[in-house]
Amino acid sequence: MRLVFYVDESGLKSFCNCVVVAGVLAVVSGSYMYWGEGVVRRIREALGVSGELKWRVVKRRGGRGLVEELLGGLEVRHFAVHYTSQVEFEKALWRFLVEVPADLYVLDVGLADASKFPRAVNKPSHKTPGIQIADLAAGFYAEKARC
């Protein structure tokens, strides 16, 4: 068993945008690549979504309540940042990650270069259910923050 922190962002990483980063902390036995698979499948089936779960799709399909209920049962952390540059964004991200006592940090591809942080890996969200759940959290909190 190990603690895995799945991380994704909501918002465009371009100058002067607000970006919300959210992570879901999970106790994982077995491969971290498959954690959350059952949850993702149930949401897809409930909303008639095929493929990768993304906040904008789930929200359009009326799944806000499903996401809110899901997040209530998970350990989720998030922060908002005013995007000025990738370097400053990564500094904020690393400060966020050091506060989470995880054995492994799974970052969505394109979020930041995981090789710059100990015990971090980049994985594609379409193949990693945990990152898809983090995407739902990031979108949900970005909407609440009105980013």
Side-chain angles (χ1 to χ4, degrees):
M1 300 279 252
R2 60 184 168 168
L3 282 175
V4 180
F5 196 51
Y6 298 91
V7 184
D8 201 0
E9 95 282 345
S10 182
L12 297 174
K13 290 190 303 183
S14 60
F15 190 69
C16 283
N17 274 349
C18 175
V19 177
V20 172
V21 176
V24 177
L25 190 61
V27 176
V28 177
S29 61
S31 174
Y32 69 89
M33 289 293 293
Y34 302 109
W35 179 86
E37 195 170 48
V39 171
V40 167
R41 186 178 335 101
R42 284 192 297 277
I43 292 173
R44 280 188 195 135
E45 289 171 0
L47 300 175
V49 174
S50 61
E52 182 178 356
L53 281 185
K54 301 294 267 178
W55 169 251
R56 68 184 181 284
V57 173
V58 169
K59 181 182 163 189
R60 263 191 310 224
R61 300 271 180 127
R64 180 182 172 78
L66 280 174
V67 171
E68 196 164 12
E69 182 180 325
L70 167 67
L71 297 180
L74 297 173
E75 185 170 345
V76 180
R77 300 180 188 191
H78 68 283
F79 75 96
V81 64
H82 182 83
Y83 188 87
T84 56
S85 72
Q86 185 64 21
V87 170
E88 291 303 313
F89 175 78
E90 286 184 1
K91 286 179 185 177
L93 177 64
W94 304 145
R95 284 190 300 271
F96 174 65
L97 294 181
V98 297
E99 295 179 4
V100 179
D103 300 311
L104 179 66
Y105 304 88
V106 183
L107 311 179
D108 188 20
V109 170
L111 180 66
D113 181 359
S115 68
K116 296 178 182 177
F117 194 78
R119 301 181 322 277
V121 296
N122 287 112
K123 293 297 175 187
S125 58
H126 70 280
K127 292 185 176 183
T128 315
I131 294 176
Q132 292 178 49
I133 294 170
D135 178 273
L136 297 179
F140 177 81
Y141 288 112
E143 187 175 282
K144 286 183 85 167
R146 299 182 195 240
C147 283

